[in-house]
Amino acid sequence: SAVISQKPSRDICQRGTSLTIQCQVDSQVTMMFWYRQQPGQSLTLIATANQGSEATYESGFVIDKFPISRPNLTFSTLTVSNMSPEDSSIYLCSVGEGNYGYTFGSGTRLTVV
Amino acid sequence: GQQLNQSPQSMFIQEGEDVSMNCTSSSIFNTWLWYKQEPGEGPVLLIALYKAGELTSNGRLTAQFGITRKDSFLNISASIPSDVGIYFCAGQLAGSARQLTFGSGTQLTVLP
């Protein structure tokens, strides 16, 4: 299965600032997904990022708040913009590969103060 | 969005006991996946199920894809301390573009 490197692993940020999270995969993959996991909660899909097209956002998530880049088949970034304490969560990237395999990165633990 | 009802929410068991957890939905799924998440880590795939009725094992873990395609269970036999973690079911809805819907998780604690 694919190996995903996600960074930073954690960060503490001031409200009003932005943080860009990077996701690097060791193989080319068509579909990459970004999830949010709020404290003590399950995973919620933010958006699907396919190379060469605009990301597709789920209900409740907008591009202005969570802009995504997907410049090639091995890399994607998620930016959390104009952060507030409610954005404190774990952000995870995932890739879909093969038939239906889904691999996750180790996550970025974000705390907004 | 679609919801998966996962139960139980938490379990406290003695080492050596068997564990069972399940997920149900009112929607039909093409794929069921079971993940384990440990603190500070992303979810790790344990078992993937692709066909209704499919029963798959991975060591002490066994999972089944419900015949109605609306449910799945995960069993862990002879639990050990390293089984501690949060277990999530996840499903890919029929007709969706491969996005996963996650259950709320089962927090498993194994007592020595």
Side-chain angles (χ1 to χ4, degrees), chain A residues 20-101:
Chain A
T20 296
I21 302 167
Q22 299 180 4
C23 183
Q24 178 75 53
V25 190
D26 69 343
S27 59
Q28 293 184 339
V29 293
T30 303
M31 305 185 76
M32 295 182 75
F33 306 92
W34 287 97
Y35 287 84
R36 181 176 72 183
Q37 187 176 25
Q38 294 178 300
Q41 301 296 314
S42 185
L43 283 75
T44 301
L45 181 66
I46 297 172
T48 302
N50 292 336
Q51 193 267 338
S53 62
E54 292 286 327
T56 302
Y57 289 81
E58 298 299 303
S59 176
F61 298 96
V62 296
I63 188 171
D64 290 346
K65 176 66 175 178
F66 297 102
I68 288 171
S69 78
R70 183 80 201 274
N72 56 55
L73 292 173
T74 64
F75 187 78
S76 178
T77 67
L78 170 75
T79 299
V80 186
S81 304
N82 187 25
M83 288 183 286
S84 66
E86 292 71 32
D87 294 321
S88 298
S89 292
I90 300 173
Y91 293 85
L92 297 137
C93 71
S94 173
V95 300
E97 55 180 331
N99 192 6
Y100 290 107

Side-chain angles (χ1 to χ4, degrees), chain A residues 7-19:
Chain A
K7 56 182 181 181
S9 59
R10 58 179 62 233
D11 207 341
I12 301 174
C13 300
Q14 296 289 325
R15 66 180 66 198
T17 63
S18 298
L19 175 71

Side-chain angles (χ1 to χ4, degrees), chain B residues 29-47:
Chain B
F29 287 83
N30 283 339
T31 302
W32 283 96
L33 306 168
W34 284 92
Y35 287 87
K36 179 186 179 186
Q37 186 177 28
E38 299 185 25
E41 299 293 328
V44 174
L45 182 64
L46 301 173
I47 293 180

Side-chain angles (χ1 to χ4, degrees), chain B:
Chain B
Q2 301 299 327
Q3 288 190 334
L4 293 180
N5 301 308
Q6 185 171 350
S7 64
Q9 185 176 9
S10 63
M11 302 181 73
F12 290 81
I13 62 169
Q14 294 292 136
E15 183 176 358
E17 289 184 347
D18 297 342
V19 174
S20 184
M21 59 192 78
N22 69 85
C23 277
T24 61
S25 176
S26 58
S27 300
I28 292 174
F29 287 83
N30 283 339
T31 302
W32 283 96
L33 306 168
W34 284 92
Y35 287 87
K36 179 186 179 186
Q37 186 177 28
E38 299 185 25
E41 299 293 328
V44 174
L45 182 64
L46 301 173
I47 293 180
L49 303 160
Y50 303 124
K51 297 179 181 179
E54 180 180 355
L55 182 70
T56 298
S57 294
N58 178 7
R60 294 178 294 106
L61 278 61
T62 301
Q64 184 160 29
F65 193 141
I67 197 70
T68 65
R69 297 170 63 190
K70 296 180 178 181
D71 63 304
S72 177
F73 71 75
L74 174 71
N75 289 338
I76 305 173
S77 62
S79 59
I80 59 177
S82 62
D83 289 334
V84 167
I86 303 176
Y87 292 79
F88 290 101
C89 64
Q92 187 224 340
L93 282 164
S96 72
R98 302 188 66 185
Q99 295 94 330
L100 293 180
T101 301
F102 277 79
S104 54
T106 296
Q107 172 73 61
L108 178 63
T109 302
V110 180
L111 304 172

